[in-house]
Amino acid sequence: MSPPTLKLTYFDTPGRAEVTRLALFLHDIPFEDERLSDEAFLVRKPSLPFKQLPTLTINGEVFAQSHGMARYIGVLTGLYPTSNPLGAYRVDEILAASDDITAKLYPYYFEFDAEKKLAIAKELTADSLPTLFACVEARLVAATAKGPFLVGEMLSLADIELFVVRMIVQSGELVDIPTTLCDRYPRWNAIADAVAALPKIQAWYQTHP
């Protein structure tokens, strides 16, 4: 069976497409990395399945939902442990937690009044994000994996997701939120560091700074 023709469409930022981008690149699966401007997105928005990005076009058919596409690529590449139901559940748990984190950040991203935006950032920094991050850390510790990753020696979508979330926090993209907010979670950082050390990950960011 020939490999599918793939086009991943998102903005020119890591965000909700980065896990899928990295999964594809890690396994040398060819794909078109389409990055839209805000203006181009508004033109295309009415035709999108859920009126949002990212989308993954597979053999000409457009699919949506970021973690749905990530799981699809995970099944193709082995980054989603289909033969290990408990491991798959652990991966899903982290992906869902990442969705919870994103949901908490939406009001910050879409608030344009500077004073209100700063107030949201202060609450996120003091309460919402540390609470969620601590829950993530506890679940990672509870997994008791014997290896560098969530399910042991096997790299999974969850590990890449943890790396991406930390990268976004550390990047300063969330201007009013400390870049050190992930620093207090040792298991999370150990997993993210293991992902960051992969040669293919380093190669991606040499050409996609």
Side-chain angles (χ1 to χ4, degrees):
M1 181 182 296
S2 59
T5 300
L6 302 172
K7 179 171 70 173
L8 180 59
T9 303
Y10 194 56
F11 303 105
D12 189 17
T13 186
R16 297 176 69 85
E18 195 75 349
V19 171
T20 301
R21 285 185 186 130
L22 293 175
L24 289 162
F25 183 73
L26 279 166
H27 287 267
D28 298 313
I29 297 178
F31 71 104
E32 180 183 348
D33 186 12
E34 183 182 35
R35 303 190 182 213
L36 300 184
S37 65
D38 291 343
E39 294 76 15
F41 164 65
L42 291 175
V43 171
R44 196 174 303 185
K45 182 177 179 179
S47 68
L48 300 177
F50 290 90
K51 317 304 178 190
Q52 62 189 17
L53 295 176
T55 60
L56 182 66
T57 304
I58 305 170
N59 295 331
E61 183 176 357
V62 181
F63 293 84
Q65 300 299 342
S66 58
H67 286 147
M69 64 186 66
R71 286 186 189 90
Y72 169 74
I73 299 303
V75 171
L76 291 183
T77 59
L79 289 169
Y80 188 73
T82 54
S83 62
N84 177 358
L86 186 59
Y89 197 166
R90 293 192 190 282
V91 170
D92 285 336
E93 197 173 43
I94 296 304
L95 297 180
S98 179
D99 283 336
D100 291 342
I101 292 167
T102 300
K104 290 292 185 183
L105 288 171
Y106 272 147
Y108 175 79
Y109 277 122
F110 294 107
E111 179 56 67
F112 298 103
D113 179 278
E115 187 174 335
K116 292 179 181 178
K117 193 178 187 76
L118 183 58
I120 293 170
K122 287 181 177 178
E123 190 283 328
L124 287 169
T125 300
D127 185 13
S128 293
L129 291 180
T131 297
L132 276 171
F133 288 3
C135 291
V136 169
E137 177 72 7
R139 297 308 298 150
L140 299 177
V141 172
T144 62
K146 295 181 179 179
F149 302 118
L150 174 64
V151 290
E153 297 295 333
M154 172 194 161
L155 178 69
S156 74
L157 296 171
D159 305 303
I160 302 171
E161 186 79 31
L162 291 164
F163 164 77
V164 170
V165 173
R166 188 186 71 169
M167 178 182 68
I168 291 170
V169 172
Q170 291 181 339
S171 72
E173 174 185 324
L174 306 170
V175 177
D176 302 303
I177 294 173
T179 58
T180 57
L181 204 58
C182 294
D183 289 2
R184 70 186 77 171
Y185 308 107
R187 180 58 179 149
W188 182 345
N189 279 287
I191 291 172
D193 287 345
V195 174
L198 295 171
K200 291 279 287 185
I201 294 291
Q202 295 176 7
W204 175 263
Y205 288 107
Q206 286 172 1
T207 55
H208 301 81

